[in-house]
Amino acid sequence: MKVFRIKHNGSVFYATIEDNNFFKPLLSKDNEKSLLPATECTILPVAVPSKIICAGLNYHEHARELGMEIPEDPMIFFKPPSAVIGNGDKIVIPAMSEQVDFEGELAIIIGQTGKNILPENVAKHIFGYTCANDVTARDLQKKDTIFARAKGFDTFAPIGPCIETGITDPNSLSLRTIVNGKVRQEGNTSDMIYNPVQLVSFISHIMTLTPGDVILTGTPPGIGTLSPEDKVDVEIEGVGILSNTVINHEPIRTPVQ
């Protein structure tokens, strides 16, 4: 089931879609649903996370591409919640970077609070899966050697277009990143070093996961640079296509004296 986060008449909620209409479940004994025309709704980013946890270097082929050793444990870092944008929103190239890269990824959306989750219990804590783009200021990543600035700019965490709740096996999904109609990344989640279940369990032994939290699961080989006016699509089998365009930062104006 594809679930969207939408706004209608000032209320924000999750809903499914059919024939260009959203269905909002009602709290009623007969499980009635209210029908909302899509033209009356605003589609929002699929989650409002308390944190975005990312797995670095989590595809074998990507590690080989970079000439790096396989990590003994998942390598995790964070993006701030303020980096989140949704499907159709614009990625902004910041003034202080000259190389902004795309990284198409499968994202996990947490649906139930959990701490120290055993692998066999992970499934009940996952709401579903979505597409993500771990946008990165590569020049700043190399300069800083830590990831906070390079990964943390506003608009650097596109997620969407929806949450797919029906995926029972996330370990064999094809993933492509397409820039201006050309395939730039192509891989499969079967190449992950640590699969989604292992990642959720590992992370939950470090920090409590809460509903809406987002886990980015790493990127396959083929990462590359974005330019203003580019259109970048992250397409994941069974999930959907996350589409964003790229714009340059607004000019920095000197205040009038």
Side-chain angles (χ1 to χ4, degrees), residues 16-23 35-41 43:
T16 59
I17 193 169
E18 184 178 330
D19 296 329
N20 211 32
N21 294 304
F22 285 106
F23 290 92
L35 178 65
L36 303 173
T39 53
E40 299 178 6
C41 303
I43 299 177

Side-chain angles (χ1 to χ4, degrees), residues 192-252:
M192 284 185 185
I193 298 168
Y194 298 99
N195 65 40
V197 167
Q198 292 170 318
L199 289 175
V200 171
S201 180
F202 177 82
I203 293 168
S204 77
H205 281 76
I206 303 167
M207 65 197 77
T208 299
L209 295 172
T210 59
D213 282 351
V214 178
I215 299 175
L216 273 58
T217 60
T219 196
I223 59 177
T225 302
L226 294 169
S227 300
E229 300 185 8
D230 281 349
K231 179 177 181 289
V232 55
D233 301 328
V234 178
E235 179 181 3
I236 300 179
E237 177 186 2
V239 179
I241 302 174
L242 168 66
S243 297
N244 300 95
T245 53
V246 183
I247 60 173
N248 214 355
H249 61 87
E250 292 184 0
I252 298 175

